Amino acid sequence: MKMTPKIFFGGSILVWAASISIMVIFPVISMKNKPSEIWRPMTEKEKEGLKVYVNNGCSYCHSMYIRKVDWGIGAERIARPGDYYGQEPAILGSERTGPDLSQEGGEHTDDWHKAHFINPRFTRPMSVMPSWEFLGEDEIEKLTAYIQSLGGKDADLRIARQKYWHKQAIEAYKAGPDSNIRWLHSKIPDGWRKMPNPYPATEASVSRGKNMYMKFCINCHGPVGDGNGRAAPYLNPPPLNFTLLRRHLEDDKYIGGILYYQIMNGITGTSMPYFKKDLESEKIWDISNFIAKEFIGYTDSDTEPKGIDASYESEKEKE
Amino acid sequence: MTDNFRTGNSPNFQEGGLRGFFSKNSALAFIVAGSAWFIVGTLYGLFSAIHLMAPEFFNNIPALVFGRVRPSHVNTVLYGFVVTTLIGLGMYYTPALLKTKLWSEPLGWVSLFLWNITVLSGPVFFSMGMSQGREYTEYLWPFDVTFMIAIVTIIINLVMTIIHRKEYVLYVSIWYFVASFIWIGGSYFIGNVMWRPSTGALPGILDSIFLWFYAHALPGLLLTPLAIGAAYFIIPRVTKTPLFSHTLSIVGFWTLVTFYSHIGGHHLLQAPIPHWLKTMSVVDSMMMFIPVIIVIVNLWMTMRGRGNLIMADPAAKWVAMGLIWYLIVGAQGSIQSIPQIQKVTHFNNWTVAHAHIAVLGFSGFIALGGVWHVIPLITRRKLYSQRLANLQFGLVMIGLTGFFLVLTIAGLIQGEAWYNGETVYRVLPQLQPYMILRTIFGLFIISGALVGFYNLIRSIRKPKEYPYISASHAVIIETQKNPEI
Ligand code: HEM
Ligand code: HEM
């Protein structure tokens, strides 16, 4: 075969055009473009938030679709084509330096987002997300509106739930610290309340718990557990002061189960996130041991009622 | 005949005053610009790397926030360093292989100007928080236009050069070089959705099909043909042998454009796009190994038995290493297109490692080799320093190899942990040591960029008394002509 200019130019253009028709034009014609059941139109403010998102390159760290293999935030909904209906641009993203955001709406309260945008390490101490304080209040508000809309109608449901409990949490908080804690505990299922920490607060357990506390909680609840972390000024209600819990033991005995449940489940309506996806049981019990020993100054760990001791526990540590 | 390689660049390429300068040298200007962008682009890479290592290092500085410096890095190294340099090489070797001059040097300067305006617009506007945001198509619409005009003027210049050629045969380098602009011109317009200036995007999920069609046309139909063209030019000249096989060149060329233009979907294997599109891109990604291996075999057989010539030549060494990276990239690429593998490798630093050995290792190495090969031909004098060229090779090689290892490991850590159900946040602390190492290896690459720029400038501005070398290399074009053509 001789590569004459005719063959060369003609062939190059032809083959390329053929690919374009298959890979680009054909999808244009054949792909159905219908909203999915969770889709809803974006408000003006949310659209402006999307612009801020696009212009500032959030998409280099955050993806916008959940796959079958995923576990983390948003994993309840595997992405559908119709979720992106009319969104322009719908940047799916190619990297997850940070978590997927396609279902982020309603995961957190607005005040959590505000503190997080001003400095992500306020709410997430190990975060590598940049601080966006320089964007100014106005842009951060737009961004928050956009983020809270992610997930469409599902997000709206989550937001409604956040708002409902937010109102109650605020009221409880205004009624004073002790009634606030009583209110918090009244929402915990009974079984969890009358439950000690089943695992001994050994030195090792407490120090593992401390490590986790530094990585997850310290900038809200503070280095001494009094609720005065760096994020506190932005949060309403503010993070709980653990030292008050001494007065609120269930049956004057139990606190381990309460701590576990609150850490696992979070307190919807407040900025207290759930840690169920981040921390498995070993780590949550260790943190509870740490909080109990270090900040509350009392531990119910390894007391009755309890079942058969786990095989790793040693007798000596128990004294 | 001895004039073949002087095309527009006589030994006194510096003479003739300002007007004289602009009536030649556009190829040289592209090369110099490319080396300068190498420095700028890798510095932006450094800022990005520092952020991931220590996120409060540049806290709250708008122009240095990660989301803005990362696109500045990626676009500047891709379009600014690699593509600009490779265009310069082609603007030199195309007329040389056709035994003529570039049709219009002033038009070449126009292309250069528009091209560099486009590249410059990246860091300038991204740092102010203005970007179209879709990866690899971030440039704002006015600069999409300058991009397109630059491409069109280059095409016109090359077509006219081909029409006015004195050598009948079109050598394989020319196919690749000229075709890449035709392909990228069309793909850029479509992939950038240039008919919607405000967002540069289509509404809905369809947009991602356009985007990733383009995002794989960029490496596949621009970087790859540009780099292969330069490699096909340099290797036979250094080994002083004809190209191993003309047939392989032909097959390699047509399979490249056939397969490469079908694989954009492999970036979206787990996204909600039509199934047939995914299947097609996976199959074609496997097939991509054919054009890769053809180029490798063809050039390797050309080099066979002449490794000493390659190793002794500061330029050819880069090119040969670039081909090795190409083999690795191609093999890795085909493997990571398999959906089962991508469950783990997608979304993390594994891909960033692939991107660096592809863009810097394959096309960047060949571009740098091209610089050191072509500069003596343009200036007609030896390089200022072969040792500096070798030092640069060592620095970039250490940096990139380290990059590849460190990021691949980091990627596997992320991918496996997520697959096991750990959250993204939980894995962050495990990555930090690798992010620190990446920054350190990055410094090697940046040092390489600085050393190279210094060497380039000194080579161009060498004192007059430095002896000119003879034009004996002109003979070699005859051997590049394969009898069967
Ligand atoms: C000329 C040499 C280089 C080229 C061609 C290059 C190319 C690229 C490309 C194509 C990407 C995008 C990767 C993706 O989206 O998967 C990227 C990202 C990146 N590069 Fe480079 N790079 C070069 C040098 C450097 C250097 C010297 C450093 C560090 C000092 C660096 C640090 C980074 C960082 C931190 C990212 C972002 C990764 C992320 O988002 O996780 N690069 N580079
Ligand atoms: C030759 C066969 C090749 C195949 C089959 C291939 C395959 C792939 C695949 C499957 C991905 C996506 C990975 C993921 O997101 O999980 C990818 C990413 C990438 N490839 Fe290749 N590749 C090849 C060659 C190249 C070459 C030659 C270059 C550049 C010169 C290149 C540059 C890139 C870049 C920059 C990315 C990152 C895209 C992003 O931002 O996510 N690849 N490649």
Side-chain angles (χ1 to χ4, degrees):
Chain A
M1 179 185 179
K2 218 178 195 154
M3 199 66 129
T4 62
K6 253 198 211 118
I7 296 185
F8 165 70
F9 283 109
S12 306
I13 294 173
L14 221 67
V15 177
W16 177 83
S19 311
I20 281 278
S21 358
I22 300 172
M23 301 308 284
V24 179
I25 312 288
F26 190 64
V28 172
I29 299 167
S30 67
M31 270 171 78
K32 286 185 200 67
N33 194 10
K34 272 195 315 232
S36 67
E37 75 283 7
I38 65 165
W39 182 87
R40 68 151 170 83
M42 284 164 90
T43 66
E44 277 314 307
K45 193 165 180 191
E46 289 160 6
K47 279 186 188 155
E48 285 180 26
L50 170 62
K51 267 193 207 124
V52 181
Y53 185 91
V54 170
N55 276 328
N56 288 288
C58 309
S59 55
Y60 302 113
C61 289
H62 292 290
S63 64
M64 275 290 177
Y65 63 101
I66 292 289
R67 316 169 288 172
K68 284 204 187 85
V69 294
D70 283 331
W71 290 83
I73 299 173
E76 292 306 308
R77 173 156 178 114
I78 294 160
R80 301 279 188 82
D83 297 356
Y84 306 88
Y85 181 80
Q87 196 183 327
E88 184 178 339
I91 301 182
L92 297 182
S94 63
E95 245 193 290
R96 280 193 189 156
T97 304
D100 187 272
L101 295 180
S102 59
Q103 298 295 320
E104 177 70 7
E107 277 276 337
H108 300 283
T109 51
D110 284 357
D111 58 350
W112 186 93
H113 282 297
K114 181 162 189 207
H116 185 247
F117 282 134
I118 284 174
N119 185 337
R121 276 139 308 273
F122 285 177
T123 61
R124 287 288 213 177
M126 304 183 292
S127 179
V128 296
M129 173 155 146
S131 306
W132 298 98
E133 188 174 6
F134 67 83
L135 286 178
E137 208 147 307
D138 192 39
E139 304 261 292
I140 288 183
E141 228 169 75
K142 290 180 194 161
L143 209 45
T144 307
Y146 169 62
I147 291 294
Q148 295 289 40
S149 78
L150 291 167
K153 289 179 187 160
D154 281 358
D156 291 348
L157 286 177
R158 292 190 290 263
I159 293 282
R161 185 190 298 126
Q162 289 279 13
K163 290 210 166 116
Y164 175 80
W165 289 110
H166 185 66
K167 230 172 108 199
Q168 307 210 17
I170 292 284
E171 270 166 28
Y173 178 71
K174 280 191 189 141
D178 288 300
S179 72
N180 184 33
I181 292 174
R182 273 195 296 279
W183 177 79
L184 283 171
H185 290 189
S186 73
K187 297 294 164 208
I188 298 173
D190 235 23
W192 289 91
R193 273 190 282 160
K194 301 205 165 71
M195 182 174 168
N197 187 333
Y199 300 107
T202 61
E203 214 180 306
S205 165
V206 169
S207 101
R208 285 195 304 266
K210 177 172 181 182
N211 187 331
M212 287 294 120
Y213 184 84
M214 309 283 261
K215 287 179 172 164
F216 288 84
C217 332
I218 185 159
N219 287 340
C220 281
H221 289 282
V224 293
D226 60 356
N228 273 324
R230 292 161 76 196
Y234 305 94
L235 304 179
N236 184 20
L240 198 81
N241 178 352
F242 291 132
T243 57
L244 300 178
L245 288 177
R246 188 78 173 89
R247 309 201 285 263
H248 294 274
L249 307 179
E250 187 77 15
D251 289 349
D252 274 340
K253 276 199 287 220
Y254 306 123
I255 190 68
I258 290 173
L259 293 176
Y260 190 101
Y261 185 85
Q262 299 289 59
I263 297 168
M264 169 181 77
N265 201 50
I267 302 166
T268 306
T270 79
S271 56
M272 171 70 191
Y274 63 85
F275 288 94
K276 165 178 177 290
K277 294 190 184 205
D278 287 298
L279 301 169
E280 67 277 25
S281 97
E282 166 89 344
K283 297 195 167 89
I284 302 185
W285 287 127
D286 284 343
I287 297 182
S288 311
N289 271 335
F290 168 73
I291 291 176
K293 272 228 152 160
E294 202 74 16
F295 302 139
I296 306 179
Y298 164 86
T299 175
D300 58 4
S301 82
D302 211 25
T303 57
E304 293 299 332
K306 58 179 196 164
I308 304 172
D309 281 341
S311 66
Y312 78 90
E313 293 178 33
S314 72
E315 284 303 315
K316 201 178 116 263
E317 291 272 26
K318 286 190 160 184
E319 259 100 76
Chain B
M1 168 119 107
T2 41
D3 261 350
N4 289 343
F5 280 86
R6 290 215 219 130
T7 52
N9 301 296
S10 67
N12 41 9
F13 76 107
Q14 286 166 315
E15 288 168 16
L18 206 54
R19 177 177 297 175
F21 188 79
F22 285 107
S23 66
K24 47 200 175 202
N25 297 334
S26 62
L28 181 64
F30 265 105
I31 292 174
V32 173
S35 290
W37 287 126
F38 188 12
I39 299 175
V40 178
T42 45
L43 279 177
Y44 272 106
L46 182 66
F47 296 148
S48 320
I50 288 175
H51 177 89
L52 292 175
M53 175 181 85
E56 298 207 2
F57 194 89
F58 303 113
N59 207 20
N60 253 320
I61 304 175
L64 292 180
V65 70
F66 182 85
R68 298 181 182 183
V69 295
R70 188 189 190 274
S72 303
H73 165 57
V74 175
N75 287 285
T76 307
V77 288
L78 275 170
Y79 298 109
F81 161 50
V82 181
V83 178
T84 309
T85 308
L86 287 169
I87 293 178
L89 300 178
M91 299 281 258
Y92 171 77
Y93 67 63
T94 303
L97 288 166
L98 295 172
K99 298 189 180 158
T100 180
K101 293 183 176 185
L102 190 63
W103 178 62
S104 164
E105 281 287 340
L107 190 61
W109 280 93
V110 170
S111 316
L112 173 101
F113 180 73
L114 290 169
W115 182 260
N116 282 289
I117 289 284
T118 312
V119 174
L120 180 67
S121 81
V124 169
F125 286 96
F126 301 157
S127 70
M128 297 192 285
M130 291 156 83
S131 159
Q132 292 192 334
R134 295 151 91 237
E135 216 173 348
Y136 307 109
T137 68
E138 287 100 336
Y139 292 139
L140 298 177
W141 188 79
F143 303 101
D144 291 348
V145 175
T146 53
F147 185 107
M148 286 300 291
I149 302 176
I151 296 286
V152 171
T153 51
I154 291 174
I155 293 177
I156 293 172
N157 222 342
L158 292 175
V159 170
M160 295 309 284
T161 306
I162 289 178
I163 290 175
H164 290 106
R165 72 192 189 280
K166 301 206 176 66
E167 164 64 60
Y168 176 70
V169 172
L170 300 179
Y171 181 64
V172 45
S173 294
I174 297 174
W175 318 340
Y176 278 113
F177 186 64
V178 178
S180 59
F181 298 107
I182 298 175
W183 295 329
I184 208 64
S187 306
Y188 192 87
F189 182 80
I190 293 173
N192 260 279
V193 196
M194 275 182 68
W195 58 95
R196 292 175 86 94
S198 66
T199 54
L202 291 168
I205 189 87
L206 187 62
D207 184 60
S208 61
I209 290 167
F210 277 65
L211 170 63
W212 288 105
F213 170 80
Y214 174 71
H216 227 106
L218 165 63
L221 301 181
L222 183 66
L223 295 182
T224 303
L226 286 178
I228 295 178
Y232 268 126
F233 172 68
I234 296 162
I235 294 291
R237 283 179 41 76
V238 174
T239 57
K240 301 194 168 58
T241 47
L243 192 59
F244 172 66
S245 162
H246 171 67
T247 312
L248 279 183
S249 314
I250 292 256
V251 179
F253 180 80
W254 293 114
T255 45
L256 181 87
V257 54
T258 308
F259 297 140
Y260 230 137
S261 48
H262 287 83
I263 61 182
H266 67 204
H267 294 271
L268 297 167
L269 285 184
Q270 299 148 331
I273 63 163
H275 208 71
W276 62 268
L277 212 71
K278 296 181 188 174
T279 315
M280 197 133 161
S281 39
V282 172
V283 173
D284 280 52
S285 300
M286 301 295 127
M287 303 295 270
M288 259 312 290
F289 204 62
I290 297 171
V292 173
I293 204 73
I294 284 177
V295 170
I296 304 283
V297 167
N298 208 359
L299 287 172
W300 221 254
M301 295 306 279
T302 307
M303 285 187 256
R304 198 169 57 160
R306 305 193 171 232
N308 53 335
L309 288 177
I310 300 285
M311 290 315 288
D313 187 280
K317 203 159 52 179
W318 283 99
V319 179
M321 193 58 220
L323 291 171
I324 295 174
W325 283 123
Y326 188 38
L327 185 63
I328 300 173
V329 166
Q332 184 192 28
S334 294
I335 292 169
Q336 75 190 14
S337 307
I338 301 169
Q340 283 74 7
I341 306 267
Q342 243 192 52
K343 277 181 193 167
V344 170
T345 62
H346 189 53
F347 274 149
N348 54 49
N349 279 297
W350 171 282
T351 311
V352 182
H354 171 79
H356 281 92
I357 62 168
V359 183
L360 175 56
F362 161 52
S363 47
F365 266 55
I366 293 177
L368 289 168
V371 172
W372 305 133
H373 185 80
V374 161
I375 286 298
L377 296 176
I378 293 179
T379 61
R380 300 292 300 282
R381 290 172 302 193
K382 283 188 177 157
L383 285 182
Y384 167 68
S385 165
Q386 296 219 354
R387 288 184 62 191
L388 282 183
N390 286 334
L391 173 67
Q392 188 197 21
F393 181 83
L395 287 169
V396 178
M397 191 64 199
I398 293 172
L400 184 64
T401 311
F403 239 75
F404 177 50
L405 295 176
V406 164
L407 292 177
T408 302
I409 296 172
L412 287 174
I413 292 175
Q414 290 171 286
E416 297 289 356
W418 300 343
Y419 194 62
N420 278 333
E422 291 199 33
T423 58
V424 169
Y425 180 68
R426 262 284 288 279
V427 189
L428 290 177
Q430 291 170 54
L431 301 180
Q432 209 193 19
Y434 302 95
M435 295 296 118
I436 294 171
L437 285 172
R438 186 251 291 276
T439 309
I440 294 169
F441 285 120
L443 288 172
F444 280 85
I445 300 176
I446 294 171
S447 316
L450 291 168
V451 168
F453 191 70
Y454 176 75
N455 200 4
L456 177 64
I457 297 302
R458 291 301 295 255
S459 296
I460 295 172
R461 308 195 39 152
K462 217 153 21 185
K464 284 246 161 61
E465 63 269 21
Y466 211 86
Y468 291 118
I469 49 176
S470 82
S472 67
H473 22 247
V475 185
I476 297 156
I477 184 166
E478 295 304 321
T479 61
Q480 275 179 335
K481 237 179 6 166
N482 203 302
E484 58 191 88
I485 296 177

